Structure formats: structure tokens, C-alpha cells
Amino acid sequence: MPEDDAFTESDFDPPPHLMSPEDPAEYDAWFREKVEAALADPTPGIPHEEVMKKMQAIIDRHKNKS
């Protein structure tokens, strides 16, 4: 049930121009920007147990594809 996922695979991917480790400084800047934006986000956090439940569902679904 992808509609139940809190995350998509692309949420964990850097932008295409940063996919290569050729410029670690650019990747570091991108990563730091994402972390700072997440820390500054005023919306309520998601409880750890809820995140783990959703992540386990994603993992199980991918295991069942093979």
C-alpha cells in the first residue's frame, strides 16, 4: 500500500547532479541544508514507533517482490 508510506525512495536520494561522489563539498552542502531544514521545521514530529512500523511495512513489501 504505497499510499500508506510516509516516505518514497526518492526522499533518500540526493539531486541527480549530486549522485556522484565527484564533488563531496556540494553533497555536504546539500545534506546540511536538508538537515537544517528538518530541524527548523515547526510541524510536529512523527513518533518513533509509527516511523518504524511504516518502514517495516516498506521493507516487508520489498522483500516480497523478490
Side-chain angles (χ1 to χ4, degrees), residues 3-59:
E3 63 274 0
D4 292 337
D5 293 349
F7 308 103
T8 64
E9 290 181 24
S10 63
D11 289 333
F12 302 101
D13 294 335
H17 71 284
L18 298 179
M19 294 290 262
S20 166
E22 292 175 13
D23 191 348
E26 272 191 66
Y27 179 84
D28 185 65
W30 169 83
F31 184 78
R32 289 175 184 276
E33 179 183 318
K34 291 290 189 178
V35 169
E36 288 182 20
L39 292 173
D41 186 348
T43 58
I46 302 170
H48 177 76
E49 291 160 357
E50 184 179 334
V51 172
M52 294 306 294
K53 181 179 173 186
K54 289 181 179 190
M55 291 304 295
Q56 190 61 54
I58 294 169
I59 292 167

